C-alpha cells in the first residue's frame, strides 16, 4: 500500500543515511529525543554528520553518544551546557559549532517546512550573531535575515503515530519535533505507540502524515531525566 | 545588609501584575514564582512549550515528558497549554509575554545586556535569551551587584559579548532597585542597611539617585 510508511525498526529507518549528511534531531535537552535512531546511528558508525538540534545531549546519552564516537563534524544548537565532552571537542577544535538563538533555530526549521527561504528576526541584532548577516529595516526597526535550514533528514520522536505517519506528541516532549518533522527532505518518526489509521482523532493530530516518510514503533525508551526536581508531600 | 537571592526574588515578585504572562529565566528568576503576591494571578511561560507552569511534582510523580526550560521536572495546572517551540517563540516575538525576568553577567547603563558567553571560557550558548530580550516589552534583570571579584556588573559599556541591546528596563540587585533611563541607572530603592555611598562605589556605569529614593520593603 502506497500510504503505509512503516519500517521495521530504527536500523531500517536510517539505513540510507550516509556519512556527511545533515540531520535535524528533535528534542529539548533529553526530553522528546529520538533515542532509537540515535542508537542506530551509533551502530551504523556514519560520521562527518552535521546535526541541527536544540541541545547536544549529555556525555553518555542523546547526541552525546554520537559525540563520544566522534561522528559529528558540526553541531548547530542553541544551548550545549550539559556536555563536557562537547566542550572539550569544541575547545580543541575537533568540532565545529554554530550557536544560534533558540527561537531563531525553531523558526528556521519552520521556514523550511513552510517553503519559505528566509525569515526576518530581531533576536541577535547588535550582537555577534548578526555578524555577516543581511539586515532589513521594517517600521524603523532592524531585523536579521535568517535562512531556512536545508536538512537531508529530520529524525523526530512522537508519542503516538499511525501507519500513514500522522503524529501526536505528549506534553513538553513536543518541543522542536513538529517543525523539524515538517522540515526534513526525508522525515523519520519513531513513536512509542504505532496504531492503525482511524485510531487517532483527526482533530488532535499535531503533524499530518504528509510530512512523514518513515515511521516505526520504538522500543526500550529510557527517557532519562536531566534535573529531577520534586517537592515533599 | 545586602539582599540574599530569595529577597531579590521577593522584590521582583512585587512587579507582577494581575493577569500577566511571565517568563522566568534560570537561577534567581525561577525563585520569583515562590513569592507571587496574594490576589495576583499570573501565567508562567516556559519557552520549551508550556503556558501555565505548575510547581515541582511530588516525589514519585516526576514525568520525563514534562520539563521546564531549565530541564527540571514540573507539573501543569488547570488552564495550562502545550505547544511547539516555533509557537513558543512566536508568542515571545509577537510581544504577548508581558514580563521577562532573567539573570545577567553585565548590564550597561544604556540597557545593553551580556549573559551568554565568556570568550575562551564558557561556551554554553544563548538558549532563548536573545529571542526573549529582543522581543519582551518589559525586561527585569535579577543579579548580584558585583561579580565574585567584587567588580561592578552595572557598567558604562558591556565588556562581554552582548545578548541584546537597549532592552533592560529594570535591575534588582542585592543592593537596590534601578531603572534604566537616558541619564543611566536611576536608583529607586536601596536594600535595608545599604548606603547610597556603597551603591555609588559599586556602580561603574552612570548613576543617578531618584529624588524620592527609599528603603526597599522586604
Amino acid at each position: 500500500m502506497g500510504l503505509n510508511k512503516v519500517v521495521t525498526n530504527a536500523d531500517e529507518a536510517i539505513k540510507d543515511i550516509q556519512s556527511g549528511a545533515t540531520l535535524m534531531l528533535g528534542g529539548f535537552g533529553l526530553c522528546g529525543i529520538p533515542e532509537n535512531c540515535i542508537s542506530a546511528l551509533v551502530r551504523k558508525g556514519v560520521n562527518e554528520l552535521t546535526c541541527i538540534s536544540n541541545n547536544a545531549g549529555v556525555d553518555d546519552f542523546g547526541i552525546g553518544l554520537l559525540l563520544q564516537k566522534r561522528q559529528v563534524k558540526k553541531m548547530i544548537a542553541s544551548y550545549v551546557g550539559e556536555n563536557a565532552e562537547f566542550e572539550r571537542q569544541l575547545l580543541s577544535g575537533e568540532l565545529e559549532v554554530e550557536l544560534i538563538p533558540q527561537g531563531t533555530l525553531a523558526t528556521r526549521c519552520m521556514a523550511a517546512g513552510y517553503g519559505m527561504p528566509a525569515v526576518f528576526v530581531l533576536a541577535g541584532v547588535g550582537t555577534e550573531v548578526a555578524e555577516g548577516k543581511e539586515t532589513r529595516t521594517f517600521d524603523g526597526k532592524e531585523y536579521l535575515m535568517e535562512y531556512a535550514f536545508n536538512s537531508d533528514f529530520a529524525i523526530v520522536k512522537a508519542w503516538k503515530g499511525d501507519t500513514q505517519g500522522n503524529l501526536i506528541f505528549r506534553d513538553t516532549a513536543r518541543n522542536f519535533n513538529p517543525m523539524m518533522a515538517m522540515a526534513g527532505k526525508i522525515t523519520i518518526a519513531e513513536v512509542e505507540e504505532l496504531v492503525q489509521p482511524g485510531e487517532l482523532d483527526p482533530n488532535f493530530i499535531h503533524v499530518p502524515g504528509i510530512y512523514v516518510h518513515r515511521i516505526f514503533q520504538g522500543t526500550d525508551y529510557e527517557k532519562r531525566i536531566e534535573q529531577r526536581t520534586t517537592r515533599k508531600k | 545588609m545586602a539582599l540574599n537571592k530569595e529577597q531579590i526574588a521577593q522584590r521582583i515578585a512585587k512587579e507582577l501584575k494581575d493577569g500577566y504572562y511571565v517568563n522566568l529565566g534560570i537561577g534567581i528568576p525561577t525563585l520569583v514564582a515562590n513569592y507571587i503576591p496574594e490576589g495576583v494571578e499570573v501565567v508562567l511561560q516556559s519557552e520549551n512549550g508550556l503556558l501555565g507552569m505548575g510547581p515541582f511534582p511530588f516525589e514519585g510523580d516526576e514525568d520525563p515528558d514534562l520539563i521546564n526550560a531549565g530541564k527540571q521536572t514540573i507539573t501543569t495546572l488547570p488552564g495550562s497549554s502545550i505547544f511547539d517551540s516555533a509557537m513558543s517563540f512566536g508568542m515571545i516575538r509577537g510581544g504577548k509575554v508581558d514580563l521577562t525576568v532573567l539573570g545577567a553577567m553585565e548590564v550597561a547603563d544604556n540597557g545593553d545586556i551580556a549573559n551568554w558567553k565568556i570568550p575562551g571560557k564558557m561556551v554554553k550558548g544563548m538558549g532563548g535569551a536573545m529571542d526573549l530580550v529582543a522581543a519582551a516589552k518589559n525586561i527585569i534583570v535579577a543579579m548580584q551587584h558585583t561579580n565574585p571579584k567584587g567588580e561592578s556588573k552595572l557598567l558604562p559599556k558591556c565588556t562581554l559579548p552582548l545578548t541584546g541591546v537597549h532592552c533592560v528596563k529594570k535591575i534588582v540587585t542585592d543592593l537596590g532597585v534601578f531603572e534604566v533611563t537616558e541619564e543611566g541607572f536611576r536608583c529607586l530603592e536601596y536594600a535595608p542597611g545599604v548606603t547610597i555611598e556603597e551603591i555609588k562605589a559599586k556602580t561603574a556605569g552612570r548613576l543617578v539617585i531618584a529624588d524620592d529614593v527609599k528603603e526597599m520593603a522586604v
Side-chain angles (χ1 to χ4, degrees):
Chain A
M1 285 284 284
L3 288 177
N4 185 355
K5 295 169 180 174
V6 178
V7 294
T8 48
N9 55 32
D11 297 294
E12 173 78 17
I14 62 129
K15 71 175 182 195
D16 57 345
I17 296 182
Q18 303 297 333
S19 291
T22 297
L23 313 178
M24 282 179 175
L25 294 137
F28 184 96
L30 301 178
C31 180
I33 59 171
E35 294 182 19
N36 282 227
C37 284
I38 291 170
S39 298
L41 287 165
V42 171
R43 279 195 294 275
K44 190 166 196 271
V46 283
N47 50 37
E48 298 285 304
L49 298 172
T50 295
C51 293
I52 302 167
S53 188
N54 190 53
N55 312 89
V58 295
D59 282 331
D60 60 345
F61 202 57
I63 293 174
L65 296 171
L66 291 166
L67 290 163
Q68 266 184 5
K69 296 272 167 67
R70 314 277 173 87
Q71 290 174 269
V72 183
K73 179 184 72 172
K74 182 175 182 182
M75 189 75 220
I76 300 174
S78 89
Y79 189 81
V80 293
E82 333 292 348
N83 194 320
E85 173 62 14
F86 180 95
E87 199 154 342
R88 192 198 63 73
Q89 290 186 22
L90 173 60
L91 294 171
S92 70
E94 292 164 58
L95 180 69
E96 267 180 78
V97 176
E98 194 181 332
L99 291 169
I100 61 181
Q102 194 174 134
T104 300
L105 180 72
T107 308
R108 289 176 67 186
C109 296
M110 194 194 79
Y114 278 67
M116 303 185 294
V119 289
F120 292 93
V121 300
L122 279 171
V125 170
T127 75
E128 63 180 54
V129 166
E131 282 166 20
K133 286 182 182 154
E134 271 183 62
T135 63
R136 186 148 168 199
T137 302
F138 298 95
D139 282 335
K141 261 191 185 171
E142 192 186 8
Y143 291 75
L144 303 183
M145 186 166 82
E146 296 279 7
Y147 289 100
F149 282 122
N150 193 353
S151 178
D152 302 315
F153 293 87
I155 305 177
V156 302
K157 150 80 187 358
W159 180 34
K160 293 181 182 181
D162 69 22
T163 58
Q164 296 190 4
N166 293 302
L167 303 179
I168 294 178
F169 303 89
R170 181 170 177 274
D171 289 340
T172 56
R174 192 183 318 184
N175 56 62
F176 283 84
N177 283 298
M179 76 231 52
M180 286 185 172
M182 293 170 64
K185 283 196 198 78
I186 291 178
T187 290
I188 299 165
E190 55 176 85
V191 298
E192 286 177 55
E193 195 183 338
L194 183 65
V195 301
Q196 290 303 311
E199 288 184 51
L200 302 177
D201 183 339
N203 290 295
F204 296 97
I205 301 291
H206 296 134
V207 172
I210 191 168
Y211 291 109
V212 176
H213 304 87
R214 299 169 196 167
I215 190 166
F216 67 94
Q217 179 156 327
T219 55
D220 303 316
Y221 282 103
E222 188 175 332
K223 292 200 183 182
R224 204 182 286 188
I225 292 175
E226 258 179 89
Q227 306 281 342
R228 188 178 297 272
T229 45
T230 58
R231 64 191 152 134
K232 294 250 184 267
K233 268 188 199 169
Chain B
M1 274 287 285
L3 302 184
N4 62 30
K5 287 177 182 182
E6 296 285 340
Q7 289 169 315
I8 294 174
Q10 212 175 338
R11 175 59 191 83
I12 290 173
K14 291 183 184 166
E15 304 285 325
L16 301 176
K17 295 203 170 66
D18 198 25
Y20 261 18
Y21 291 90
V22 183
N23 183 290
L24 300 176
I26 295 163
I28 301 173
T30 307
L31 301 173
V32 173
N34 300 332
Y35 299 101
I36 297 166
E38 193 86 2
V40 171
E41 203 174 9
V42 300
V43 178
L44 301 181
Q45 201 248 17
S46 189
E47 66 266 24
N48 56 320
L50 171 64
L51 271 170
M53 178 166 53
F56 295 146
F58 289 120
E59 281 176 29
D61 292 346
E62 309 93 290
D63 182 341
D65 287 341
L66 191 53
I67 63 168
N68 64 16
K71 287 127 188 165
Q72 296 171 309
T73 46
I74 42 136
T75 55
T76 54
L77 296 168
S80 289
S81 56
I82 287 176
F83 34 85
D84 63 51
S85 301
M87 184 179 281
S88 184
F89 284 94
M91 66 184 69
I92 289 166
R93 208 179 283 121
K96 308 297 177 189
V97 175
D98 298 292
L99 173 66
T100 291
V101 183
L102 75 174
M105 298 175 195
E106 295 177 345
V107 177
D109 61 23
N110 66 350
D112 290 358
I113 177 172
N115 73 350
W116 75 281
K117 185 179 183 183
I118 303 172
K121 276 191 190 157
M122 191 193 84
V123 282
K124 291 180 186 305
M126 66 290 281
M130 283 195 182
D131 311 273
L132 281 158
V133 300
K137 285 176 283 190
N138 191 4
I139 295 168
I140 300 180
V141 165
M143 66 176 190
Q144 304 298 327
H145 207 94
T146 55
N147 67 21
K149 288 188 214 154
E151 298 160 343
S152 181
K153 293 169 72 173
L154 284 75
L155 302 173
K157 195 171 187 291
C158 291
T159 63
L160 295 169
L162 294 177
T163 308
V165 293
H166 308 297
C167 53
V168 175
K169 300 283 189 291
K170 207 175 242 184
I171 305 147
V172 179
T173 75
D174 51 331
L175 301 187
V177 180
F178 306 84
E179 188 176 54
V180 176
T181 69
E182 297 276 302
E183 288 80 42
F185 302 114
R186 187 162 171 267
C187 179
L188 304 175
E189 298 175 20
Y190 52 90
V194 168
T195 62
I196 297 294
E197 284 63 40
E198 182 180 356
I199 289 173
K200 282 182 178 167
K202 291 182 174 173
T203 304
R206 291 174 300 151
L207 176 73
V208 291
I209 308 298
D211 293 338
D212 56 348
V213 67
K214 59 180 187 202
E215 184 176 287
M216 194 189 302
V218 282

